[in-house]
Amino acid sequence: MPKSKRNRAVTLSKTKKKPGLERKGKVVTEIKDAIERYSSAYVFTYNNMRNQKLKDLRDQLKSSSRIFLAGKKVMQIALGRSAADEAKSGLHKLSKFLQGNTGLLFSNLPRDDVERLFHEFEGLDFARTGSVATETVELKEGPLEQFSHEMEPFIRKQGLPVRLNKGVVELVADHVVCEEGKPLSPQAAHTLRLLGVQMATFRLYLVCRWTTDDFEVYKEGLAQLRVGEADESS
């Protein structure tokens, strides 16, 4: 007879919590700890996120501040979504701004120092496929002496009309790599990287600020947040 699937014993010692739930719970705990440790909290938004640039900023701020980039719902739960469940008075106001590309900054730095840091911080990098070109890049017919002859097949695959002429990579006709205001194709993004042309600027914008006795919204950051949401929905 086949074994019955009913009343099957389950050994509880073998069951494990889902790793995702454990990570989310850890983030909530860390944010609640940050609420107690730091005097102010900010929501920020960003353009052209670059992990290494963000790591550099974290290192710069580690003695005075803490940055969180996590799931929006997880951060909202930690802060509180309403006055009834907020961790501290007024904190739930931050939650409604946690939309799109946003994160949290907790800091003991004076307000002016945080604002100056965010205003001055930026990091240039190579643009990725789909990014909008910030300028038109056109290559003129002639030798491309910055490239070795071994690279000719790869360069040709990027759509450039090239040939080898006495061991030198040569462009046989003028070629537009990208046009200002238009999205970059995979080939254009690769070519710009080869040319050393950086078009992506990693920028941070403060959206709002909370302290126990104050709450403020930054117009520029709010405008950037809305632009980002419009781009995601289009």
Side-chain angles (χ1 to χ4, degrees):
M1 289 181 63
K3 294 182 179 179
S4 172
K5 294 183 180 180
R6 297 180 180 179
N7 301 324
R8 181 173 293 177
V10 176
T11 304
L12 295 178
S13 61
K14 293 183 179 180
T15 61
K16 296 182 179 179
K17 293 182 179 179
K18 295 181 180 180
L21 292 177
E22 289 183 348
R23 284 195 298 271
K24 291 175 182 178
K26 182 180 179 182
V27 171
V28 169
T29 299
E30 290 178 349
I31 290 176
K32 287 184 177 296
D33 288 344
I35 292 169
E36 299 300 324
R37 180 178 176 184
Y38 298 100
S39 60
S40 58
Y42 299 78
V43 171
F44 64 88
T45 187
Y46 52 86
N47 293 333
N48 298 308
M49 170 58 71
R50 295 296 186 268
N51 290 334
Q52 183 57 50
K53 305 291 185 184
L54 181 65
K55 181 180 181 299
D56 293 342
L57 181 62
R58 288 184 193 272
D59 291 342
Q60 181 180 346
L61 291 172
K62 65 182 179 181
S63 64
S64 63
S65 310
R66 179 80 186 270
I67 292 174
F68 291 91
L69 281 177
K72 307 304 177 291
K73 290 184 178 179
V74 173
M75 292 190 290
Q76 288 171 347
I77 289 171
L79 296 173
R81 295 176 175 175
S82 67
D85 62 2
E86 61 188 5
K88 281 190 176 181
S89 179
L91 260 181
H92 78 278
K93 296 176 182 178
L94 295 177
S95 290
K96 72 175 183 178
F97 293 98
L98 288 170
Q99 306 168 18
N101 295 328
T102 51
L104 285 171
L105 168 73
F106 292 90
S107 183
N108 285 325
L109 288 173
R111 167 185 167 178
D112 290 348
D113 289 355
V114 174
E115 292 175 355
R116 182 175 61 253
L117 177 67
F118 270 65
H119 179 72
E120 295 176 352
F121 179 84
E122 67 176 31
L124 282 174
D125 203 347
F126 296 106
R128 296 168 179 168
T129 300
S131 298
V132 176
T134 58
E135 61 180 291
T136 297
V137 175
E138 182 176 6
L139 299 176
K140 297 296 183 180
E141 177 184 351
L144 299 173
E145 296 180 350
Q146 65 267 50
F147 301 125
S148 65
H149 68 276
E150 292 95 343
M151 295 184 67
E152 189 269 343
F154 179 75
I155 295 171
R156 190 162 9 95
K157 286 181 180 179
Q158 307 315 311
L160 276 69
V162 295
R163 68 180 179 185
L164 279 178
N165 185 2
K166 297 180 181 180
V168 177
V169 180
E170 184 179 68
L171 198 65
V172 299
D174 294 350
H175 178 74
V176 176
V177 177
C178 62
E179 294 183 57
E180 182 179 355
K182 294 186 177 181
L184 296 178
S185 66
Q187 293 79 12
H190 288 149
T191 302
L192 291 174
R193 182 176 288 270
L194 290 173
L195 294 170
V197 178
Q198 296 181 319
M199 287 190 180
T201 303
F202 174 34
R203 285 292 313 274
L204 299 169
Y205 302 90
L206 294 172
V207 177
C208 56
R209 168 181 172 271
W210 168 93
T211 66
T212 53
D213 54 7
D214 189 26
F215 183 79
E216 178 182 7
V217 176
Y218 295 90
K219 291 182 179 179
E220 182 184 12
L222 183 59
Q224 288 292 329
L225 180 59
R226 287 172 176 168
V227 168
E229 291 174 345
D231 290 342
E232 286 186 355
S233 61
S234 60

